[in-house]
Amino acid sequence: MKNYFSIQDIDSLEQWVDEAIEMKKTPLADKNLGTDKTIGLLFFNPSLRTRLSTQKAALNLGMNVIVMNFTGEGWSLEYGNGTIMDQNTSEHVKEAAQVVSQYCDVLAIRAFAKLENREDDYQEKVLNSFMKYATIPIVNMESATGHPLQALTDAITIKEHKKTNKPKVVLSWAPHPKALPQAVANSFVEMMQQMDADFVITHPVGFELASHITNEVPIDYNQENAFKDADFVYVKNWSSYTDYGKPLTDDSSWKITENKMKLTKDAKFMHCLPVRRNVVIDDAVIDSENSIVIKQANNRTYAAQLVLKKILKNI
Amino acid sequence: MKNYFSIQDIDSLEQWVDEAIEMKKTPLADKNLGTDKTIGLLFFNPSLRTRLSTQKAALNLGMNVIVMNFTGEGWSLEYGNGTIMDQNTSEHVKEAAQVVSQYCDVLAIRAFAKLENREDDYQEKVLNSFMKYATIPIVNMESATGHPLQALTDAITIKEHKKTNKPKVVLSWAPHPKALPQAVANSFVEMMQQMDADFVITHPVGFELASHITNEVPIDYNQENAFKDADFVYVKNWSSYTDYGKPLTDDSSWKITENKMKLTKDAKFMHCLPVRRNVVIDDAVIDSENSIVIKQANNRTYAAQLVLKKILKNI
Amino acid sequence: MKNYFSIQDIDSLEQWVDEAIEMKKTPLADKNLGTDKTIGLLFFNPSLRTRLSTQKAALNLGMNVIVMNFTGEGWSLEYGNGTIMDQNTSEHVKEAAQVVSQYCDVLAIRAFAKLENREDDYQEKVLNSFMKYATIPIVNMESATGHPLQALTDAITIKEHKKTNKPKVVLSWAPHPKALPQAVANSFVEMMQQMDADFVITHPVGFELASHITNEVPIDYNQENAFKDADFVYVKNWSSYTDYGKPLTDDSSWKITENKMKLTKDAKFMHCLPVRRNVVIDDAVIDSENSIVIKQANNRTYAAQLVLKKILKNI
C-alpha cells in the first residue's frame, strides 16, 4: 500500500481489523517506528475527531506532526491543466504537492465535496492531484466521495461489538437540515461488502447512492422493515446523488427513534459524529446503553494508527 | 484536584505559590512526568500569553501538545438539553467532550463571556459542560467569569515582589473603549481573599463586581484615596455587572497616571495584559521601573506548569 | 549574529552556502542542539513553504515548535510610540515582543508589505519593533522588504547547479495580476552582490527596485537581450517602487516562454513559488527539465536549518 485513499487500499479487511484491535491493547508499542518521520495534516475543511485522532495516532507512533489549515493559512490552489492562472488561484497543486513532499514523510488531507457538480466531486480532484504529484504516501482524511479512516473505524467497532458471526447491519439514511456529502456512506458501503454480514441500506426513494458503490447491496425503502432483527443500526444523512447535492429537508419520519430501535434485535446504534440531536436521532437513542458512538469515535485513533503504521513500515 | 476551574480548586494558595517559585528555578526538573501524555488546548477566543505559556508549560513537563482553534477549525457546539438541533449548531458538547477525552489526557479551554446575558455567562455553560461530560481533567484558560491561571500567576508575582508580610494591594478599575468581561477581576478578587494582604477595590459607582465574589472586600469609590500607601496597584477594566456588559466609555479620569502612582508607597504596577496604552494607563507608568507587567506575564508559564504538574501527578 | 533579519547578517555567503550543502547530507546530525529549546513561528500572512520548511528545520535540530497565526489567533498589535490606543489595536508590540521572548528561545516572524505607503513598508515596523523589544533572536520569514531565508536558499541552489565558476544570472521581472511586494527581489539582489557572478536585472521601465538595494547592478530593459547566454533565469514579479505598489497588469510580453529560454545558455529556471502558471511563466518552462523550482523549494529547509543552527550555537 502506497496511499490510503479508499477502502480498496485494504488488502484484507479482516486482518486489518484484528491488527487494530491488537494494537489498541498496547498503543505505544511502536513508538520508535516514527522517530524522525514527519506527517503533515492538511485541512481544507473543519475537523474535530479526524484532526485530534490522527494527531494522536501519529504521536503514538513517535512521529512529528505538522498541522496546516490550508484554507486561510496557505495559498488558494489551482487544479486545472493548462489554466491561465490570472484569477483567484495563486499556486498550482503540481508545485504544492511536490514541495510539501520534500518537507514531510506522509501527508494526510481533508477536502470535502462541494456538492455543486457531481462529476467534479467524483473526480476527487484534490486527493487525486495530490496523489499524482506528491512523492510521499497520501492518507485520505475525508475526501469528496470517501472517508476510509471512518469506515475502517466502523469495521473495528462492529467486530468488537458483534455477538454473532454474521450480524445484520443496517445503514439508515436520516434527516438533516443541510446538504451533506456522500463520503461516509460510500466508504461504509464499500467496507461492508468486504465484511461477512447481512447488510442492507434503507433510505427514501431518490436517495440511492452511486450504483458503482452499492453494487448488489439490497436497498429497502421501508426503514422499519429494514430495522427488523438488526444487530447494528448505522445512521447517516447524505444528500441526493441523482439530483446531486439536493437535501431532503422535510421528511422527519426518517428520524431514528426509540420505537424504531425496538424493532431491532437489541441493535447497537452507530454514527460517525458530529450528529444533530433530535433531528437525526432522538436523545433517547444516542443516550441509550446501546449507543456506541463514543466507543466508535475512540477507534478513530487506532484506525489511523494502523494505516500510519503500515505506511511507515513501507517507507 | 480533578479540574482547575477556579481559584477555589487551590487547596492552599500559599503552598502553591511556594511550589511555583521553587519550580521556576528548575523548570525542566519534571520533564519526564508528562511523557506520552497529551494536552489538548481548545480556543474559542484569541489568546497570546495563555496560548504560548500553556504550551511552554506542557513542553517543560514533556507532554505532547495539540492546539485547536475550535471556532473555525471545528464544529459549532450545542449546549442545551433536549434541543432540536436544526439550526446553526452541528455537534452537542456531550459528544464533543466525551470524544476529545479519548484522544487527550488533559484538556484546557478558553471560552470568553459573551456579555449579552449575565445569567448565561455566570452559568459558565462551556466550561461546566466540558467538566460534566469530559472524562479527563479540565483546565480553565479563561472562562466567562474567571481566569484562575492569571490569578495564580498574580499571587506568585505578588509573593516575589512584596516587601512586607501584609502588603496593601489595590485592584483599580480603569477605562477601556470596549466592553470587557469580569473574568480577570473576579479571579483576582477571589485569590486575594486567600492571601494575607490589606486588599481594597476601587471603581466608579455602578461597576461593583458580583457580591458573591467580592464578599467583605472593602470598596472605595475614590481612586486616589484607595491608592494611598499601596504596595501593589493591579489595574483592569471590566464592564458593568449590574447593567450587564455595559462599558463606561467616557470617564478617562480613572486612567492610571504617574501622579496617581505617586500617592502609593512606591507601588509595583501590575496588569494581566494586553493593555491599551494611554487609555488604561499612561506610557510613563507602564514604562516605569515599578511596572512588573512583563515579569508577571513570565509567571504565566509557571502557574500553568504547576497546575499541569498537579494534574499529571493525579492521573 | 543575533538576528537573521537580512542578507547583511550573513558574514560569509560562500561559507554559509558550503555549510548548508554539507548539512543537507546529514540533516539530523545536530538533532541534540535544540533539545529543550523552543521556536515560536508568528505568521501575520499566509505561508506554505516557509511554514512547513521552517518547522521541519527546527524539528531536524530537535527543537520544540510553537506556531501561531497572529492575525486571528492573537491581538491586533500597535506599533506607534505614544499612541492613545482607543481604536482597533489591543496590544502594543512593546509588551507582545517582551512577553513572547519569555516563552520562546527564538522567534521567527512573517509580516508582508502592505503596499500602501512606501515609507511605512521600508521602515519595517513589525520586524524592527520585534527586534527592538524582544530579548531573543528574531528570524525574518519574509518581511515588508526582504526575504533572506529565500535568498540564502537561492544561493545554495545556484551553487549546487552552476557549471562555471562565474555564472550569468538574470533576475527577470514577469507579469502578475496582483500587486506583489519587492521583498523576494530585494533579498535576491542583495545576495547576488555577495556572489561571484555576472548578474543582471531585467524589468520594464518604471519597475526599478530601490537604488540603495540595486547599487551598481546593471539593469537591462530588454528582456531578450538580458537572457542571452544566461546560466540561471530567476523570475519574480514585483510592483513598482517609484509609483509605490502599483502593478503593471497589461504587459504579458514579459511572460517567460520557451522561446525566451532558448536565448539562454541552457539556463536553469528558478522561482521562489507560489507561481501563477501561464501568467508569469508558460507551463512548458516550469515543466521543463531545466526548471529547478522544486529542488530550490527543498533547500528552504536547509537555509532555515543553517540559520537556526547558528542561532542555537550562539545562545
Side-chain angles (χ1 to χ4, degrees):
Chain A
M1 182 187 64
K2 191 192 166 218
N3 302 311
Y4 186 68
F5 170 66
S6 88
I7 285 298
Q8 314 309 332
D9 295 312
I10 301 177
D11 50 13
S12 162
L13 180 64
E14 196 177 347
Q15 197 182 315
W16 283 42
V17 166
D18 289 343
E19 284 179 52
I21 291 172
E22 199 56 35
M23 168 188 271
K24 193 174 167 179
K25 294 175 191 165
T26 53
L28 298 173
D30 298 299
K31 214 196 146 183
N32 294 323
L33 191 62
T35 305
D36 298 327
K37 294 283 186 288
T38 300
I39 184 168
L41 309 187
L42 305 188
F43 290 95
F44 292 86
N45 303 97
S47 174
L48 171 62
R49 272 151 291 277
T50 301
R51 182 184 292 273
L52 299 185
S53 65
T54 311
Q55 282 188 68
K56 183 62 176 292
L59 292 169
N60 282 349
L61 293 165
M63 301 183 83
N64 300 318
V65 182
I66 294 177
V67 181
M68 180 170 177
N69 297 313
F70 219 94
T71 313
E73 293 181 354
W75 308 103
S76 188
L77 292 188
E78 172 64 40
Y79 296 90
N81 280 327
T83 308
I84 297 170
M85 291 170 60
D86 58 2
Q87 299 299 311
N88 295 322
T89 53
S90 303
E91 173 148 35
H92 200 282
V93 64
K94 189 167 181 177
E95 276 74 62
Q98 289 182 85
V99 166
V100 172
S101 296
Q102 301 179 117
Y103 307 143
C104 300
D105 300 285
V106 184
L107 207 57
I109 300 171
R110 160 160 289 199
F112 287 173
K114 297 208 163 146
L115 297 177
E116 290 161 5
N117 178 303
R118 186 171 83 185
E119 204 180 334
D120 277 4
D121 283 343
Y122 275 76
Q123 277 178 353
E124 291 282 12
K125 69 176 179 184
V126 179
L127 267 285
N128 275 327
S129 298
F130 272 95
M131 288 195 292
K132 181 175 177 185
Y133 296 119
T135 53
I136 57 173
I138 303 289
V139 174
N140 181 346
M141 296 198 296
E142 187 171 341
S143 65
T145 70
H147 196 353
L149 283 176
Q150 181 64 52
L152 177 55
T153 299
D154 300 335
I156 298 167
T157 310
I158 289 173
K159 173 72 182 271
E160 287 180 327
H161 289 87
K162 73 178 185 181
K163 292 173 186 163
T164 60
N165 282 337
K166 192 176 174 177
K168 179 176 177 186
V169 179
V170 183
L171 168 63
S172 177
W173 186 94
H176 197 278
K178 287 172 60 183
L180 294 187
Q182 291 127 19
V184 169
N186 284 348
S187 290
F188 187 77
V189 170
E190 289 184 297
M191 179 276 290
M192 284 307 300
Q193 289 172 76
Q194 296 189 23
M195 190 183 273
D196 194 21
D198 174 14
F199 180 49
V200 60
I201 310 176
T202 180
H203 56 67
V205 173
F207 280 76
E208 290 76 12
L209 294 164
S211 60
H212 71 271
I213 286 171
T214 53
N215 299 309
E216 308 298 314
V217 177
I219 294 168
D220 191 335
Y221 297 111
N222 183 320
Q223 191 186 35
E224 302 205 349
N225 194 53
F227 273 40
K228 276 177 197 155
D229 297 323
D231 295 293
F232 293 89
V233 172
Y234 193 100
V235 176
K236 185 74 190 82
N237 171 271
W238 59 88
S239 57
S240 177
Y241 178 78
T242 39
D243 195 358
Y244 192 68
K246 195 180 161 192
L248 178 66
T249 53
D250 53 353
D251 201 348
S252 61
S253 69
W254 281 81
K255 186 175 65 167
I256 313 302
T257 64
E258 256 189 313
N259 277 338
K260 287 179 192 168
M261 291 300 288
K262 282 178 187 158
L263 300 169
T264 68
K265 202 163 72 191
D266 197 30
K268 300 296 184 190
F269 172 79
M270 297 177 71
H271 190 286
C272 64
L273 305 179
V275 66
R276 286 171 177 254
R277 285 170 167 258
N278 304 309
V279 176
V280 176
I281 39 143
D282 275 346
D283 279 342
V285 176
I286 192 169
D287 290 336
S288 72
E289 285 212 352
N290 280 21
S291 168
I292 55 172
V293 295
I294 303 300
K295 290 172 181 166
Q296 183 184 355
N298 188 33
N299 283 333
R300 292 294 309 270
T301 301
Y302 308 104
Q305 191 171 338
L306 184 72
V307 166
L308 294 180
K309 181 180 170 179
K310 286 180 178 288
I311 285 172
L312 285 172
K313 287 205 163 176
N314 222 26
I315 57 176
Chain B
M1 181 187 65
K2 190 191 167 223
N3 302 310
Y4 186 67
F5 170 65
S6 89
I7 285 297
Q8 314 308 330
D9 294 312
I10 300 178
D11 50 14
S12 163
L13 179 64
E14 196 177 347
Q15 198 181 315
W16 283 42
V17 165
D18 288 343
E19 284 180 52
I21 290 171
E22 198 56 34
M23 167 188 271
K24 193 174 167 177
K25 295 177 192 164
T26 54
L28 297 173
D30 298 299
K31 212 196 147 184
N32 294 322
L33 191 62
T35 305
D36 298 327
K37 294 283 186 289
T38 300
I39 185 169
L41 308 187
L42 304 188
F43 290 95
F44 291 87
N45 302 98
S47 174
L48 171 62
R49 272 152 291 278
T50 300
R51 183 183 292 271
L52 300 186
S53 66
T54 311
Q55 282 187 70
K56 183 62 176 294
L59 291 170
N60 281 350
L61 293 164
M63 301 183 83
N64 300 319
V65 182
I66 295 178
V67 180
M68 180 169 175
N69 296 314
F70 219 93
T71 313
E73 294 180 353
W75 307 102
S76 187
L77 292 187
E78 172 64 40
Y79 296 90
N81 280 327
T83 308
I84 297 169
M85 291 170 59
D86 57 2
Q87 300 298 313
N88 295 322
T89 53
S90 302
E91 173 147 37
H92 200 282
V93 65
K94 189 167 182 176
E95 277 73 61
Q98 289 182 86
V99 166
V100 173
S101 296
Q102 300 179 117
Y103 307 144
C104 300
D105 301 284
V106 184
L107 207 56
I109 300 171
R110 161 161 289 199
F112 286 174
K114 297 208 164 146
L115 297 177
E116 290 161 4
N117 179 302
R118 186 171 83 184
E119 205 181 334
D120 277 4
D121 283 343
Y122 275 76
Q123 277 178 354
E124 291 281 11
K125 69 177 180 183
V126 179
L127 266 286
N128 274 327
S129 298
F130 271 95
M131 288 195 292
K132 180 175 177 185
Y133 296 120
T135 54
I136 57 173
I138 303 289
V139 174
N140 182 345
M141 295 199 295
E142 186 171 342
S143 66
T145 70
H147 196 353
L149 284 175
Q150 180 65 51
L152 177 54
T153 298
D154 300 334
I156 297 167
T157 309
I158 290 173
K159 175 72 184 273
E160 287 180 326
H161 290 87
K162 74 178 185 181
K163 293 172 186 165
T164 60
N165 281 336
K166 192 176 174 176
K168 180 177 177 184
V169 179
V170 183
L171 168 63
S172 177
W173 186 94
H176 197 280
K178 286 171 61 182
L180 294 187
Q182 290 126 19
V184 169
N186 284 347
S187 290
F188 187 77
V189 170
E190 288 185 297
M191 180 276 290
M192 284 307 300
Q193 289 171 78
Q194 294 189 24
M195 189 184 273
D196 194 20
D198 174 14
F199 180 48
V200 60
I201 310 177
T202 181
H203 55 67
V205 173
F207 280 75
E208 290 76 13
L209 293 163
S211 60
H212 71 270
I213 286 172
T214 53
N215 299 307
E216 308 298 315
V217 176
I219 295 169
D220 191 334
Y221 297 112
N222 183 318
Q223 191 186 33
E224 303 205 349
N225 195 51
F227 273 40
K228 277 178 194 152
D229 295 323
D231 295 293
F232 293 89
V233 172
Y234 192 99
V235 176
K236 185 76 191 80
N237 171 272
W238 59 86
S239 57
S240 176
Y241 178 77
T242 40
D243 195 358
Y244 192 66
K246 195 181 162 191
L248 178 65
T249 51
D250 52 354
D251 200 349
S252 60
S253 69
W254 281 81
K255 187 175 64 167
I256 313 302
T257 63
E258 256 189 312
N259 278 336
K260 287 178 191 169
M261 290 300 289
K262 283 179 186 158
L263 301 169
T264 68
K265 202 163 72 192
D266 197 30
K268 300 296 184 190
F269 172 79
M270 297 177 72
H271 190 286
C272 64
L273 305 180
V275 67
R276 286 171 178 255
R277 284 171 167 256
N278 303 310
V279 177
V280 176
I281 39 144
D282 275 344
D283 279 342
V285 176
I286 192 169
D287 290 334
S288 72
E289 285 213 353
N290 280 20
S291 168
I292 56 173
V293 295
I294 303 300
K295 290 172 182 168
Q296 183 184 356
N298 188 33
N299 283 333
R300 292 293 309 271
T301 300
Y302 307 103
Q305 190 171 337
L306 184 72
V307 167
L308 293 181
K309 179 179 172 181
K310 286 181 177 288
I311 285 173
L312 285 172
K313 288 205 163 176
N314 222 27
I315 57 176
Chain C
M1 181 187 66
K2 191 193 167 219
N3 302 310
Y4 186 66
F5 170 65
S6 88
I7 285 298
Q8 313 309 332
D9 295 311
I10 301 178
D11 50 14
S12 162
L13 179 64
E14 196 177 347
Q15 197 180 316
W16 283 42
V17 166
D18 287 343
E19 284 179 52
I21 290 171
E22 197 57 34
M23 168 188 271
K24 194 174 167 178
K25 293 177 191 164
T26 53
L28 298 173
D30 298 299
K31 214 195 146 185
N32 294 323
L33 191 62
T35 305
D36 297 328
K37 293 284 185 289
T38 300
I39 184 169
L41 309 187
L42 304 188
F43 290 95
F44 292 86
N45 302 97
S47 175
L48 171 62
R49 271 152 290 279
T50 300
R51 183 183 292 272
L52 300 185
S53 66
T54 311
Q55 282 187 70
K56 183 62 176 297
L59 292 169
N60 281 350
L61 293 164
M63 300 183 84
N64 300 318
V65 182
I66 294 178
V67 180
M68 180 169 175
N69 297 313
F70 218 95
T71 312
E73 293 181 353
W75 308 102
S76 187
L77 292 187
E78 172 64 40
Y79 297 91
N81 280 327
T83 308
I84 297 170
M85 291 171 58
D86 58 1
Q87 299 299 312
N88 295 321
T89 53
S90 302
E91 173 149 34
H92 200 283
V93 64
K94 189 167 182 176
E95 277 73 61
Q98 288 182 85
V99 165
V100 172
S101 295
Q102 300 179 116
Y103 306 145
C104 299
D105 300 285
V106 184
L107 207 57
I109 300 170
R110 160 162 289 199
F112 286 174
K114 296 205 165 148
L115 297 178
E116 290 161 5
N117 178 303
R118 186 171 83 184
E119 204 180 336
D120 277 3
D121 284 344
Y122 274 76
Q123 277 177 353
E124 292 282 10
K125 69 178 180 182
V126 179
L127 267 285
N128 274 328
S129 299
F130 271 95
M131 288 195 292
K132 179 174 178 184
Y133 296 119
T135 54
I136 57 173
I138 303 288
V139 175
N140 181 346
M141 296 197 296
E142 186 172 340
S143 66
T145 69
H147 196 351
L149 283 175
Q150 181 64 51
L152 177 55
T153 298
D154 301 335
I156 297 167
T157 310
I158 289 172
K159 174 71 184 271
E160 287 180 327
H161 289 86
K162 73 178 185 182
K163 292 173 187 164
T164 59
N165 281 336
K166 191 176 175 179
K168 179 174 178 187
V169 178
V170 183
L171 168 63
S172 177
W173 187 94
H176 196 279
K178 287 171 62 183
L180 294 187
Q182 291 127 18
V184 169
N186 284 346
S187 290
F188 187 76
V189 170
E190 288 184 297
M191 179 276 289
M192 283 308 300
Q193 289 171 78
Q194 295 190 23
M195 189 184 274
D196 194 20
D198 173 14
F199 180 48
V200 61
I201 310 176
T202 180
H203 55 68
V205 173
F207 280 76
E208 290 76 13
L209 294 164
S211 60
H212 70 272
I213 286 172
T214 52
N215 299 308
E216 308 298 316
V217 176
I219 295 168
D220 190 335
Y221 297 112
N222 183 320
Q223 191 186 34
E224 303 205 349
N225 194 52
F227 274 40
K228 276 178 197 154
D229 296 324
D231 294 293
F232 293 89
V233 172
Y234 192 99
V235 175
K236 184 76 191 80
N237 170 272
W238 59 87
S239 57
S240 176
Y241 177 79
T242 39
D243 195 357
Y244 193 67
K246 194 179 161 193
L248 178 67
T249 53
D250 52 354
D251 201 349
S252 62
S253 69
W254 280 80
K255 186 174 66 166
I256 313 302
T257 63
E258 258 190 312
N259 277 337
K260 288 180 191 169
M261 290 300 288
K262 282 179 188 159
L263 300 169
T264 68
K265 201 161 74 190
D266 197 31
K268 300 296 183 189
F269 172 80
M270 298 177 72
H271 190 287
C272 64
L273 305 180
V275 67
R276 287 171 177 254
R277 285 170 167 258
N278 303 310
V279 176
V280 176
I281 40 144
D282 275 346
D283 279 341
V285 177
I286 192 169
D287 290 335
S288 71
E289 286 213 352
N290 280 22
S291 167
I292 55 173
V293 295
I294 304 300
K295 290 172 184 169
Q296 183 185 356
N298 188 33
N299 283 334
R300 293 294 308 272
T301 301
Y302 307 104
Q305 190 171 338
L306 184 71
V307 166
L308 294 180
K309 180 180 170 180
K310 286 181 178 287
I311 286 172
L312 285 172
K313 288 205 163 175
N314 221 27
I315 57 176

